[in-house]
Amino acid sequence: MPKMWLYHDSNANQSALRILRDGISAEPHELSVSDWGSMHFDSLNPNQFEPISIFTKEARDFGSYGDFSYRFWPSGTNKNTAQYRVFYGSSYQYDIYELIKNTLGYNYPNVCISKKFTSGGWLNGNYGYRYVRQASGTGGSVIFTGHYTTYGSLARYWWNTGESQASGGYVGWELYSDLNFADPGSSSYGSGNDQYPIIYCHLPLPADNRAWNPVSGTPSPGQKIVSITPTQAKVARPGFDVDTANANQLLIDSTKTPLKVVKSGQVTISANSTETIPLPGGINYGSNLFVDYIVWRSGTPAYHPPLYEGGGSDSNWALGVQSKVSGGNLLLRNPTQYNVICRYIAFGYDDRPQTSGGSKVLFKGVADGEEYIQIKKPGSAATPNLADVLVDSRFPYCPVIAEGYVTVNASNKTRVINFQNPGGKFYPYPIWMAQIYRSVGTGYTYYYGPMARKMIALNMSQGHQYHGQMSADSCVAKIEDTKVTFITEPGNPSGLTWNSNDGLVVQYEERVVGIRYYILALPVT
């Protein structure tokens, strides 16, 4: 079974809490931080993070479509006090502006992943859809712009309204989302399906070129890093004393509701099938898992978003899975006609109250024939809710193994991030935001999640040299065992349109200028 070690290394003058995997014979002080594959938990590794907020917003909390009005939440707040606001425009898109104030305790812009629920409690995720723009006055379809976004196909990005517009009197960072998107396997744009909630997962990772500085201090004699008592459970980050550390200096804090990575991995899902993945037993999960994933067709390279061959009339470009928790299992459903490979990471969140009636904080247990070590909130029940669990040796350990910001231009449009992966012990999992410059008016920048748009001219009498190529605001990653290659086309147009006077019109309004990336290591089990 796994082993937990609390020890002090006199040579390095630091203490540590480490949970070693079953079968690891090394002494804990003999392992380096880079040996994370041998551990379930390591308090010495600063390059780890947890989600800082996951919350659900009803799609129609306020107002009516097309009423051009602002609504603020919580009720009774205004532009200076609201956590977010909603604006409904007159377009077929539902223009949603989410502004998140400093209630998260983090400087913006940060990485945010968003999904949308659909019927039956399934959570839609990172799939592509085919956005069809039909030219008028030509007697037929001339232009298709294939639009493959991820993170729920919600156009989710941060921008600084002070750069370009007053935006209703609010100056600062906003999160913008489109409510329009189709289900996986559907060729429609998905207008009008705004009756289901959106869920957002905020990560404490900069989305721009600011440095990511995981909190760490200087080890010194006498520092107390662990406090596990009948009334509290806390573990400090390297170089801090648990009794004096603030919230940002703690890896574990029983006064907070933890948001954990509870499952990760890679599975192959047959067409129109559902994969059942058992979750660690002995925990009441409710329905609370936020699943992010990368998906590609079996037998093809792993691109994110998926790249597709073929013309613009292919109605089967949409590719993705849906997730759901049921009976102690994670269900991943593939509603498309293709066999797919899905690499996933499941963030657990739970807004239920803490349970009560238990006395153990640190204990060893057995569930489904598997032994485990668990640290949970003091006083929580013997069968805890997910909100009660602070550390569980069955949860995957997914540190950041590479991160940074790279610039992009027409001369340097491909960026390769290399890393070591001896023995293929982990699945690389990139998370990134593309910095996009928009040359409208005085010009401004914003930050967009993984997206790919393919420019298509179906009527080849109106063909163009950019037919079949990515637009300038696209950013795609090719994922391999020891490297991630980011691919952009900033010298291309940002779109193709048609009008009866000028015919095919090439637009150069937007282009990628930089990429802020994080490569997570998902353990191979």
Side-chain angles (χ1 to χ4, degrees):
M1 69 169 296
K3 296 174 287 187
M4 188 179 77
W5 297 81
L6 175 61
Y7 74 99
H8 179 77
D9 185 343
S10 58
N11 293 325
N13 195 28
Q14 61 185 358
S15 300
L17 173 66
R18 285 177 160 176
I19 300 177
L20 276 59
R21 293 183 178 275
D22 188 21
I24 301 300
S25 59
E27 295 296 317
H29 65 274
E30 295 175 339
L31 298 174
S32 70
V33 169
S34 62
D35 291 321
W36 56 267
S38 301
M39 293 176 274
H40 291 291
F41 180 84
D42 181 13
S43 67
L44 294 180
N45 189 347
N47 294 326
Q48 52 188 310
F49 69 91
E50 294 177 6
I52 51 178
S53 175
I54 297 181
F55 70 95
T56 301
K57 187 198 74 62
E58 296 296 330
R60 275 199 169 173
D61 279 344
F62 319 103
S64 300
Y65 162 69
D67 69 359
F68 293 98
S69 61
Y70 292 99
R71 303 290 192 274
F72 295 100
W73 185 89
S75 178
T77 58
N78 56 39
K79 67 184 181 184
N80 298 314
T81 58
Q83 291 187 29
Y84 63 81
R85 69 186 173 99
V86 180
F87 169 71
Y88 289 100
S90 61
S91 167
Y92 55 83
Q93 292 177 280
Y94 291 82
D95 294 329
I96 305 297
Y97 292 86
E98 305 285 349
L99 71 88
I100 313 299
K101 307 293 281 188
N102 283 335
T103 51
L104 298 183
Y106 193 77
N107 294 323
Y108 307 117
N110 66 293
V111 175
C112 177
I113 309 172
S114 50
K115 312 288 184 188
K116 185 174 178 126
F117 283 100
T118 187
S119 59
W122 291 92
L123 191 64
N124 272 341
N126 314 346
Y127 52 81
Y129 62 84
R130 184 172 63 112
Y131 170 43
V132 179
R133 175 169 294 169
Q134 188 167 351
S136 60
T138 64
S141 299
V142 176
I143 305 301
F144 278 9
T145 302
H147 193 168
Y148 316 109
T149 62
T150 65
Y151 296 173
S153 290
L154 299 171
R156 183 253 325 118
Y157 55 79
W158 297 94
W159 63 2
N160 191 333
T161 60
E163 294 182 18
S164 61
Q165 53 189 287
S167 190
Y170 174 76
V171 177
W173 290 100
E174 295 180 336
L175 175 63
Y176 169 87
S177 298
D178 289 341
L179 285 182
N180 277 323
F181 60 93
D183 289 338
S186 169
S187 61
S188 66
Y189 189 64
S191 60
N193 63 347
D194 66 327
Q195 67 267 39
Y196 298 112
I198 302 173
I199 187 168
Y200 296 91
C201 176
H202 286 270
L203 304 180
L205 306 172
D208 56 9
N209 61 357
R210 288 172 298 150
W212 179 50
N213 296 312
V215 179
S216 61
T218 302
S220 60
Q223 282 181 342
K224 177 182 175 184
I225 67 159
V226 178
S227 176
I228 298 178
T229 72
T231 59
Q232 76 170 15
K234 293 183 178 182
V235 177
R237 287 183 177 272
F240 295 98
D241 190 287
V242 72
D243 290 331
T244 57
N246 61 36
N248 292 327
Q249 296 163 351
L250 292 172
L251 282 171
I252 298 173
D253 184 357
S254 59
T255 65
K256 298 166 60 179
T257 297
L259 302 166
K260 297 290 184 183
V261 177
V262 301
K263 197 73 175 179
S264 68
Q266 181 171 300
V267 294
T268 299
I269 313 175
S270 300
N272 300 301
S273 299
T274 298
E275 185 77 12
T276 299
I277 302 170
L279 295 168
I283 299 173
N284 182 354
Y285 291 91
S287 59
N288 303 309
L289 286 185
F290 181 100
V291 181
D292 190 39
Y293 62 83
I294 296 167
V295 62
W296 64 95
R297 294 183 188 180
S298 297
T300 67
Y303 286 98
H304 183 52
L307 286 183
Y308 300 87
E309 301 298 331
S313 60
D314 183 359
S315 63
N316 300 309
W317 282 350
L319 189 67
V321 302
Q322 298 168 317
S323 64
K324 187 178 182 178
V325 177
S326 177
N329 297 304
L330 170 63
L331 306 183
L332 295 178
R333 181 168 71 178
N334 171 20
T336 76
Q337 64 174 311
Y338 302 104
N339 298 334
V340 300
I341 298 173
C342 177
R343 185 172 298 177
Y344 66 92
I345 180 169
F347 296 100
Y349 71 102
D350 198 340
D351 53 7
R352 292 173 294 179
Q354 178 179 325
T355 60
S356 60
S359 58
K360 293 183 178 180
V361 178
L362 170 64
F363 69 99
K364 296 186 296 183
V366 180
D368 301 324
E370 181 181 7
E371 296 179 303
Y372 65 94
I373 297 172
Q374 190 177 84
I375 303 174
K376 62 188 184 69
K377 288 185 176 181
S380 57
T383 300
N385 286 345
L386 185 58
D388 303 324
V389 180
L390 301 171
V391 173
D392 192 303
S393 62
R394 298 165 298 174
F395 291 171
Y397 182 37
C398 307
V400 177
I401 56 163
E403 58 89 15
Y405 176 89
V406 291
T407 58
V408 171
N409 54 52
S411 300
N412 297 282
K413 59 186 182 181
T414 300
R415 295 294 193 179
V416 181
I417 310 302
N418 295 293
F419 42 82
Q420 299 296 317
N421 187 4
K425 66 180 181 181
F426 65 84
Y427 298 120
Y429 196 93
I431 294 175
W432 77 91
M433 300 286 282
Q435 182 178 4
I436 296 176
Y437 176 74
R438 182 174 173 84
S439 59
V440 175
T442 58
Y444 57 91
T445 60
Y446 59 89
Y447 302 86
Y448 216 119
M451 184 188 78
R453 293 196 300 125
K454 182 185 287 187
M455 296 174 289
I456 303 293
L458 285 186
N459 185 338
M460 293 313 295
S461 66
Q462 303 291 337
H464 195 273
Q465 62 175 318
Y466 295 109
H467 169 75
Q469 295 192 28
M470 289 198 311
S471 62
D473 54 353
S474 298
C475 184
V476 172
K478 183 179 181 181
I479 304 158
E480 301 175 77
D481 285 346
T482 58
K483 66 180 178 181
V484 172
T485 303
F486 292 103
I487 305 165
T488 66
E489 293 289 351
N492 279 0
S494 56
L496 306 176
T497 61
W498 171 274
N499 67 59
S500 56
N501 293 326
D502 303 318
L504 195 61
V505 178
V506 181
Q507 297 174 321
Y508 292 91
E509 293 181 352
E510 299 170 312
R511 67 180 187 275
V512 177
V513 296
I515 304 167
R516 187 63 168 100
Y517 67 89
Y518 303 86
I519 312 296
L520 276 63
L522 311 189
V524 174
T525 57

